[in-house]
Amino acid sequence: MPLVAPISAAAGDSADTASATAPVVVWLRNELRLCDNPLLQRGLQLAKGNLQLVVCLDPREFQATTAFGSPKVGELRKRFVEECLCDLRRRVAERGSRLLVQQKAPEEVLPALVSEGSTVLVTAQVCSEERAVERRVRKALEAKGAALEVVPAAGITDLVGPEELQRAGVPSGEEFPVIFQRFFLPLRPFLLEICQKGLSDAPVNLPSASGAELEDEELRLTDAVPGTDIRGGETAGLERMTVWLNSGFRSYKDTFRSLQGDYSSRLGAHLAYGCISPRRLVKEALSHGSGQSSVHVEHFVYEMCWRDFFRHTAARWGTGLFHVAGPAECGAHGMSSESSWKRDLGAERRWKEGSTGVPLVDAAMRELNETGYIGNLARQFVAAFLIEDLQIDWRVGADWFEATLVDYDVHSNWGQWARSAGVVPTNEAKRNRVGGTRYYDLAMQRPEVSDYVRNWLPELQDVADEELFSPWTNSWPIGKVLSATSNGSSYSKPLISMRLKQYFESVSGASRLCGLPSPRRAKKGKGQRKGGGAPRATAALRWATSDSRFHGS
């Protein structure tokens, strides 16, 4: 983690001078940008020549483990955050001010920066952990005679808020619709107008952060480097947005389910940490869409609105989103209570490390572990495997994605996993996919699927094409692992249901009959992850935790 500046005692704390000199503090969490930032604009409006920008890398997040034993923030995401902070610190310095970064709890840091009459600004968030921190900060500030002002998230981290929803005739809060189309269809006609509001260039100058002596230490990047081109920071985010809107965006509807290549914007991490504005991205997408096939524009806007939908449903459901049965009392496939799910440490470990013996699943999990990213389709079929075939507590998957994804967003991640598990209300189409093979079918239809598997599973380089997706059908003897291949590698015995085993065997049989083209040989070694054998499985191991998100689960 980075080296950061220690806090010095603030000068000018007397009540007599507070009204004239009290600093305004902008507490940045997921708004790490200067452009299109209403939170920063509010700070500039209030500040009288003394504005402090501060980021708190709370040890309860950046140095903690989850209730399931995973790091709350994995090394690749830490690297991304540090890149964001390096970029923001540079951009702030160029405008005559400083960005303070501290590895302490906000309720320790923020009171040390204020005096009587100060205001600390923060963007509203809706999940329990973040709101608990806000309550602690408010209490600590009040003891210093300072105030916490919570700025609405619309236009900062969200596309829309209650005001925009009301205009579209969509209820908010506890009445927010749980079916996506009831949110999206009324809102869509207003989106361009909405997304043109609150946009602004980066300030030319920023007020100095006076009243405190701050050491300007450099941030030190971790050694973890993702095997993708996802780089953190507002500068990188804006550059990627421009490049992608003029390239891959033009075929997005056709490519968004691809397994490799430049098929997605890869801006999820920049959105999650606020390096770019969601309104700016949608506005630019709609502007670039003029004269192009509208299907690609519409599908991208549709996906962006899913992001907002999950944010508003998270506000509606509260901690119920993190319960094993979800906020819904009955899951779509009957898994409506904790007793319907199981824990199996051995199976969970093999799923996480990409050693289930199911090549398609293992390739995706190894890509995730090495790069911090997998595409939309891969996220769907690895979730289906954990939930439908292993019948593991769905929160194990959501938790591992939280630890490993560079673009982790609490609302989208937990909301999508809950939908996959069938523990939140959803539409008929999604319910019909539960227990089926739709996501595997979509993957197997991709022309690059063989290349993808060989790229991430070098131990299968020499397996015949017709056996690539069901290597257990070949002539090798099967034990804990398949016998060594000609390149000296080995592959795991399959951890798979009979239903899915028969599916991949039938797919392999079809490929032999249809004569699928031979895959290109990818470079060996990419994506291979070290790891020993899995521990003995512990079926139906029950789980308990003191994690505040999971109380009552």
Side-chain angles (χ1 to χ4, degrees), residues 10-14 17-18 21-23 110-119 144-147:
D13 283 348
S14 68
T17 59
T21 63
L110 298 170
L113 296 173
V114 302
S115 58
E116 186 174 355
S118 288
T119 300
K144 293 286 295 283

Side-chain angles (χ1 to χ4, degrees), residues 181 253 256-257 299 302-303 306 332-333 376-377 380-381 383-385 387-389 416 419-422 426-442 499:
Q181 296 293 347
K253 175 65 173 176
F256 82 101
R257 285 196 176 113
H299 193 73
Y302 173 87
E303 294 289 344
W306 268 107
H333 49 32
N376 177 285
L377 179 57
Q380 297 283 5
F381 65 67
F385 183 81
I387 292 167
E388 297 297 333
D389 285 271
Q416 185 59 67
R419 289 185 82 242
S420 296
T426 188
N427 57 26
E428 187 67 22
K430 181 70 175 180
R431 285 194 293 272
N432 289 339
R433 294 170 200 163
V434 175
T437 60
R438 170 177 167 77
Y439 297 118
Y440 302 114
D441 292 341
L442 290 170
R499 176 188 69 90

Side-chain angles (χ1 to χ4, degrees), residues 121-434:
L121 300 171
V122 68
T123 304
Q125 295 197 24
V126 300
C127 287
S128 55
E129 289 184 348
E130 292 77 10
R131 296 185 70 179
V133 173
E134 289 172 16
R135 289 192 294 271
R136 289 191 288 267
V137 167
R138 187 183 300 277
K139 182 178 180 180
L141 291 176
E142 288 174 351
K144 293 286 295 283
L148 180 68
E149 181 179 322
V150 180
V151 179
I156 304 176
T157 58
D158 300 2
L159 286 173
V160 298
E163 181 179 337
E164 292 82 9
L165 291 174
Q166 182 179 22
R167 183 183 177 194
V170 179
S172 58
E174 294 182 355
E175 300 301 318
F176 183 80
V178 297
I179 302 301
F180 175 74
Q181 296 293 347
R182 297 175 189 170
F183 157 71
F184 176 69
L185 293 178
L187 182 67
R188 176 62 186 91
F190 301 97
L191 269 179
L192 180 58
E193 181 183 349
I194 290 171
C195 291
Q196 290 173 331
K197 295 180 179 179
L199 303 182
S200 60
D201 294 333
V204 176
N205 298 297
L206 290 169
S208 62
S210 60
E213 295 297 326
L214 306 176
E215 297 178 18
D216 190 16
E217 296 188 32
E218 291 296 324
L219 291 163
R220 293 183 179 178
L221 299 178
T222 64
D223 294 332
V225 180
T228 69
D229 58 359
I230 301 176
R231 295 294 179 264
E234 182 177 15
T235 301
L238 292 173
E239 289 175 353
R240 172 60 184 169
M241 180 179 70
T242 300
V243 169
W244 189 73
L245 287 174
N246 288 288
S247 56
F249 173 63
R250 297 174 179 176
S251 58
Y252 179 70
K253 175 65 173 176
D254 298 330
T255 62
F256 82 101
R257 285 196 176 113
S258 297
L259 296 171
Q260 58 187 22
D262 192 23
Y263 57 86
S264 173
S265 73
R266 283 182 166 82
L267 288 169
H270 299 93
L271 288 166
Y273 281 97
C275 303
I276 58 174
S277 160
R279 285 188 178 178
R280 169 68 67 180
L281 181 54
V282 170
K283 184 253 184 186
E284 293 295 329
L286 290 170
S287 300
H288 276 70
S290 58
Q292 299 180 15
S293 174
S294 63
V295 65
H296 306 298
V297 177
E298 287 303 314
H299 193 73
F300 183 72
V301 171
Y302 173 87
E303 294 289 344
M304 283 293 294
C305 286
W306 268 107
R307 178 179 179 272
D308 249 51
F309 174 77
F310 283 127
R311 301 176 88 82
H312 289 284
T313 53
R316 169 178 172 147
W317 288 325
T319 57
L321 179 60
F322 306 103
H323 293 179
V324 66
E329 291 301 319
C330 183
H333 49 32
M335 288 187 170
S336 59
S337 67
E338 184 175 359
S339 61
S340 302
W341 300 89
K342 70 179 182 180
R343 294 293 308 279
D344 183 329
L345 296 183
E348 291 167 21
R349 177 180 174 182
R350 291 179 65 179
W351 178 81
K352 290 176 181 179
E353 67 186 13
S355 62
T356 67
V358 181
L360 185 63
V361 172
D362 289 348
M365 295 306 293
R366 294 192 197 182
E367 180 188 16
L368 170 63
N369 293 332
E370 181 166 318
T371 70
Y373 182 85
I374 51 176
N376 177 285
L377 179 57
R379 297 184 197 205
Q380 297 283 5
F381 65 67
V382 298
F385 183 81
L386 184 77
I387 292 167
E388 297 297 333
D389 285 271
L390 302 185
Q391 297 187 349
I392 299 295
D393 184 338
W394 63 274
R395 298 173 301 174
V396 171
D399 174 84
W400 188 245
F401 273 28
E402 179 174 349
T404 53
L405 282 173
V406 172
D407 62 10
Y408 170 76
D409 171 274
V410 59
H411 321 90
S412 298
N413 181 67
W414 286 86
Q416 185 59 67
W417 271 94
R419 289 185 82 242
S420 296
V423 298
V424 295
T426 188
N427 57 26
E428 187 67 22
K430 181 70 175 180
R431 285 194 293 272
N432 289 339
R433 294 170 200 163
V434 175

Side-chain angles (χ1 to χ4, degrees), residues 382-512:
V382 298
F385 183 81
L386 184 77
I387 292 167
E388 297 297 333
D389 285 271
L390 302 185
Q391 297 187 349
I392 299 295
D393 184 338
W394 63 274
R395 298 173 301 174
V396 171
D399 174 84
W400 188 245
F401 273 28
E402 179 174 349
T404 53
L405 282 173
V406 172
D407 62 10
Y408 170 76
D409 171 274
V410 59
H411 321 90
S412 298
N413 181 67
W414 286 86
Q416 185 59 67
W417 271 94
R419 289 185 82 242
S420 296
V423 298
V424 295
T426 188
N427 57 26
E428 187 67 22
K430 181 70 175 180
R431 285 194 293 272
N432 289 339
R433 294 170 200 163
V434 175
T437 60
R438 170 177 167 77
Y439 297 118
Y440 302 114
D441 292 341
L442 290 170
M444 295 303 294
Q445 291 166 11
R446 297 299 310 174
E448 73 276 13
V449 64
S450 295
D451 285 353
Y452 179 69
V453 168
R454 293 184 186 279
N455 194 30
W456 292 104
L457 303 181
E459 62 267 43
L460 297 184
Q461 287 289 322
D462 297 330
V463 175
D465 295 343
E466 62 269 19
E467 296 173 342
L468 183 60
F469 299 98
S470 57
W472 57 83
T473 61
N474 64 27
S475 58
W476 299 338
I478 296 178
K480 288 188 176 180
V481 296
L482 298 178
S483 62
T485 62
S486 61
N487 63 18
S489 300
S490 60
Y491 191 56
S492 304
K493 178 180 179 180
L495 178 69
I496 192 172
S497 67
M498 182 57 65
R499 176 188 69 90
L500 201 58
K501 182 173 183 289
Q502 292 172 345
Y503 169 81
F504 280 112
E505 288 174 357
S506 69
V507 169
S508 297
S511 69
R512 287 192 292 271

Side-chain angles (χ1 to χ4, degrees), residues 3-9 100-102 104 213-217:
L3 287 176
V4 293
I7 298 176
S8 301
L100 174 64
V101 181
Q102 290 290 307
K104 296 179 181 178
E213 295 297 326
L214 306 176
E215 297 178 18
D216 190 16
E217 296 188 32

